[in-house]
Amino acid sequence: MFRRDSRIRPDLKQQAKQFGFEFATIDGDIYWDESAYYQFTLNQIERDIEDPTNELEQMCLELVDKVVNSESLLQQFALPEPYWDLIRNSWRQKEPSLYGRMDFSYDGKNPAKLLEYNADTPTSIYEAAFFQWLWLEQQVDRGELPRQADQFNSIQEALIERFSQLDIKQQLNFCYSQDSIEDKGTVTYLQDCAYQAGLATALFAIEHIGVDDKGQLTDPEDRPINHIFKLYPWEDMFSDEFGRYINTTHTRFIEPEWKSILSNKAMLPLLWQMFPGHPNLLPSYFVGQEGDGLENGYVQKPIFSREGANITWHHPNKGRVHSSGSYGSEGYIVQALAPLPVFSGNHTLIGSWVVGHQSCGITIREDNSPITQDTSRFIPHIILA
């Protein structure tokens, strides 16, 4: 695993504009950064990323089955009791899931360590699936990369195939937050994949969803919504004004309700309880139930935290790093510290994509801080044996 300097395409801005990558810069700062790339061997990808991701995915599904059958665990996951039956039934009825992203600390030598699983509303999929593949093809064609350079990236093909397997006969509505350019770009890309799979689709802001006099969710034309992809966290839906309609609506969701378990940091202590000592897991505990394995540092995470918010990083020698945010009232877990590897001063995170329960590609994010956040830079990668 190497970090290589790379020549930026002279027409990068035009490429981003042409292909709708409106968030290639965020608030004037570089988000898509092709001044460097990461180089892996095929063995590193297959042995250290792909195989562990597939194994962990099966372990996570086993965890969901355990949680839905335990009221004490549902409570420990801070999931509201009025929705327990909904979560349980979505699992028992095998409501299909689309995708997720496992985040790892991996240095190219030691086993990748699972930091968390973004299983409900993961972003960076457009830039991972499409824009970094475009970068690879163009850099190879322009002689900037070797002709034999490859990439761990079958994400788009996997998404299209997965959409075709969902057996949706009616329109699939795609919703995003109207205040987020990144969310709209992510959802628009997923809508295009669904269209390529032959599905009828529509796109609108989640703020435009209504409710009819029968308590059914409606689209901007006041038509009942049968199927919806929502880039909106389940824990927020359970608590906002639409929450009271979730138990009565006929709308089916992607991601389904049972994904609220896997997008929850409480899964980390439970995974460690179920599979203690697994090489890709870190010792993790609920606060107040700490155990062995934290003596070399730990990270405290809110159960519902997203995009690095409200995380506190404790190192025995390097001190404490904290990120602000609005999470924490739901409770915390602690996880043994697995510091991100540092390349040229950059803390590097590997995101491993899962589509249809199968590993299919990676995202790489860099930050000057040991805590990866929503503005952390995206860096492309190649495989070179």
Side-chain angles (χ1 to χ4, degrees), residues 154-271:
S154 58
I155 305 170
Q156 181 161 303
E157 295 89 337
L159 285 168
I160 294 169
E161 181 180 3
R162 185 59 174 168
F163 275 120
S164 72
Q165 295 170 348
L166 296 182
D167 195 31
I168 295 176
K169 306 300 184 185
Q170 298 161 312
Q171 180 172 279
L172 176 56
N173 299 280
F174 286 81
C175 294
Y176 60 91
S177 172
Q178 63 184 0
D179 296 325
S180 174
I181 295 175
E182 180 186 5
D183 284 3
K184 184 177 181 181
T186 297
V187 172
T188 301
Y189 171 69
L190 291 170
Q191 180 197 19
D192 183 65
C193 290
Y195 174 79
Q196 292 184 61
L199 300 184
T201 67
L203 178 74
F204 49 85
I206 200 164
E207 290 83 356
H208 296 160
I209 293 176
V211 181
D212 65 17
D213 55 5
K214 298 178 181 178
Q216 301 302 309
L217 302 185
T218 59
D219 67 14
E221 304 299 322
D222 295 325
R223 297 171 298 197
I225 295 173
N226 294 300
H227 300 278
I228 188 170
F229 173 91
K230 49 87 190 164
L231 200 66
Y232 191 66
W234 271 115
E235 64 268 17
D236 290 345
M237 290 187 70
F238 291 151
S239 63
D240 72 12
E241 62 180 301
F242 284 109
R244 59 196 177 104
Y245 300 109
I246 297 174
N247 274 322
T248 60
T249 184
H250 298 314
T251 303
R252 301 317 308 143
F253 295 91
I254 301 173
E255 299 293 322
E257 292 86 345
W258 61 263
K259 275 296 196 78
S260 63
I261 294 171
L262 292 185
S263 62
N264 187 309
K265 302 297 188 300
M267 66 168 285
L268 298 169
L270 185 55
L271 271 180

Side-chain angles (χ1 to χ4, degrees), residues 146-159:
R147 180 61 57 182
Q148 66 269 32
D150 200 356
Q151 200 172 82
F152 181 37
N153 189 358
S154 58
I155 305 170
Q156 181 161 303
E157 295 89 337
L159 285 168

Side-chain angles (χ1 to χ4, degrees), residues 93-376:
Q93 293 168 9
K94 299 182 179 179
E95 292 285 347
S97 122
L98 178 65
Y99 74 142
R101 193 192 70 239
M102 296 184 188
D103 287 343
F104 290 108
S105 177
Y106 175 63
D107 61 5
K109 301 173 184 177
N110 299 296
K113 298 295 186 179
L114 179 67
L115 302 179
E116 60 186 62
Y117 190 6
N118 301 284
D120 183 21
T121 60
T123 55
S124 83
I125 196 162
Y126 164 79
E127 47 272 42
F130 177 77
F131 207 74
Q132 76 165 337
W133 184 258
L134 178 70
W135 167 86
L136 174 70
E137 289 185 322
Q138 292 184 347
Q139 294 296 72
V140 168
D141 289 343
R142 296 173 183 185
E144 297 291 340
L145 290 173
R147 180 61 57 182
Q148 66 269 32
D150 200 356
Q151 200 172 82
F152 181 37
N153 189 358
S154 58
I155 305 170
Q156 181 161 303
E157 295 89 337
L159 285 168
I160 294 169
E161 181 180 3
R162 185 59 174 168
F163 275 120
S164 72
Q165 295 170 348
L166 296 182
D167 195 31
I168 295 176
K169 306 300 184 185
Q170 298 161 312
Q171 180 172 279
L172 176 56
N173 299 280
F174 286 81
C175 294
Y176 60 91
S177 172
Q178 63 184 0
D179 296 325
S180 174
I181 295 175
E182 180 186 5
D183 284 3
K184 184 177 181 181
T186 297
V187 172
T188 301
Y189 171 69
L190 291 170
Q191 180 197 19
D192 183 65
C193 290
Y195 174 79
Q196 292 184 61
L199 300 184
T201 67
L203 178 74
F204 49 85
I206 200 164
E207 290 83 356
H208 296 160
I209 293 176
V211 181
D212 65 17
D213 55 5
K214 298 178 181 178
Q216 301 302 309
L217 302 185
T218 59
D219 67 14
E221 304 299 322
D222 295 325
R223 297 171 298 197
I225 295 173
N226 294 300
H227 300 278
I228 188 170
F229 173 91
K230 49 87 190 164
L231 200 66
Y232 191 66
W234 271 115
E235 64 268 17
D236 290 345
M237 290 187 70
F238 291 151
S239 63
D240 72 12
E241 62 180 301
F242 284 109
R244 59 196 177 104
Y245 300 109
I246 297 174
N247 274 322
T248 60
T249 184
H250 298 314
T251 303
R252 301 317 308 143
F253 295 91
I254 301 173
E255 299 293 322
E257 292 86 345
W258 61 263
K259 275 296 196 78
S260 63
I261 294 171
L262 292 185
S263 62
N264 187 309
K265 302 297 188 300
M267 66 168 285
L268 298 169
L270 185 55
L271 271 180
W272 185 248
Q273 291 175 27
M274 294 171 65
F275 306 98
H278 189 282
N280 299 114
L281 295 178
L282 291 164
S284 301
Y285 308 93
F286 293 98
V287 167
Q289 302 175 14
E290 291 87 349
D292 296 335
L294 306 180
E295 58 276 2
N296 292 319
Y298 64 92
V299 179
Q300 181 172 291
K301 302 178 179 182
I303 285 175
F304 292 151
S305 174
R306 291 170 186 264
E307 298 179 331
N310 298 99
I311 287 177
T312 306
W313 189 89
H314 297 266
H315 191 283
N317 300 318
K318 298 179 181 179
R320 175 181 177 273
V321 179
H322 177 73
S323 62
S324 61
S326 58
Y327 297 97
S329 61
E330 70 278 11
Y332 290 85
I333 65 102
V334 291
Q335 182 184 56
L337 184 62
L340 297 177
V342 178
F343 294 83
S344 303
N346 302 285
H347 300 262
T348 303
L349 177 82
I350 306 293
S352 181
W353 287 100
V354 176
V355 175
H357 306 297
Q358 291 294 315
S359 173
C360 57
I362 60 173
T363 281
I364 300 177
R365 303 289 294 276
E366 284 186 345
D367 204 286
N368 301 330
S369 162
I371 299 175
T372 307
Q373 302 188 62
D374 59 339
T375 55
S376 299

Side-chain angles (χ1 to χ4, degrees), residues 3-16:
R3 187 185 192 272
R4 308 286 196 191
D5 291 336
S6 179
R7 195 192 309 267
I8 298 173
R9 288 170 291 174
D11 57 348
L12 172 58
K13 288 185 179 179
Q14 293 89 334
Q15 294 281 348

